Amino acid sequence: MADYRTLFDSEYLYAFHLQGREATVEITKVTGGELTGTGGKKTRKPIVYFKGKEKPMALNKTNCKVVAAMYGNDTSKWVGRKITIFPTTTSFGNETVDCIRGRN
């Protein structure tokens, strides 16, 4: 059965799209993108596209540091490289929220 959140429009990959499973994906492109966050605040983030995946993933600073530790700070060198992404949770303010993290 599909998570109800997958039935709403979403431009980017979220933890619930992974359905509780990890996935090893190959990076095909990295661009800069502008996202609208809470309260309409716009933020600029790296957007990573994966081979065979419909939705790209907007990277937060934590995930950028993970990928940079594996492949360096030059995002052009991330293309063609693999990363395992998995759903987990993190603290955001006073809440525990779903998120995606990456590893080798």
Side-chain angles (χ1 to χ4, degrees), residues 1 19 40 55 67 70 75 88 91-92 94 96:
M1 181 172 262
Q19 299 177 333
K55 296 179 186 293
V67 180
M70 293 187 312
T75 58
T88 188
S91 295
F92 185 75
N94 293 330
T96 299

Side-chain angles (χ1 to χ4, degrees), residues 8-103:
F8 289 97
D9 291 334
S10 64
E11 189 174 349
Y12 300 103
L13 186 67
Y14 289 96
F16 55 82
H17 289 119
L18 297 175
Q19 299 177 333
R21 298 183 304 246
E22 66 179 39
T24 299
V25 291
E26 181 180 325
I27 298 170
T28 59
K29 179 169 70 168
V30 183
T31 64
E34 190 173 80
L35 284 75
T36 304
T38 308
K41 181 181 175 187
K42 294 189 185 260
T43 59
R44 190 157 165 78
K45 294 185 178 198
I47 308 298
V48 177
Y49 294 79
F50 303 117
K51 184 177 187 177
K53 298 293 180 191
E54 180 182 326
K55 296 179 186 293
M57 181 174 151
L59 297 186
N60 59 21
K61 289 181 182 181
T62 299
N63 285 331
C64 282
K65 289 176 185 178
V66 168
V67 180
M70 293 187 312
Y71 303 123
N73 291 342
D74 182 349
T75 58
S76 68
K77 298 203 188 293
W78 297 1
V79 175
R81 303 295 191 120
K82 292 187 178 181
I83 183 170
T84 299
I85 56 174
F86 59 95
T88 188
T89 58
T90 190
S91 295
F92 185 75
N94 293 330
E95 293 184 68
T96 299
V97 296
D98 294 335
C99 68
I100 297 175
R101 292 290 186 243
R103 67 171 180 264

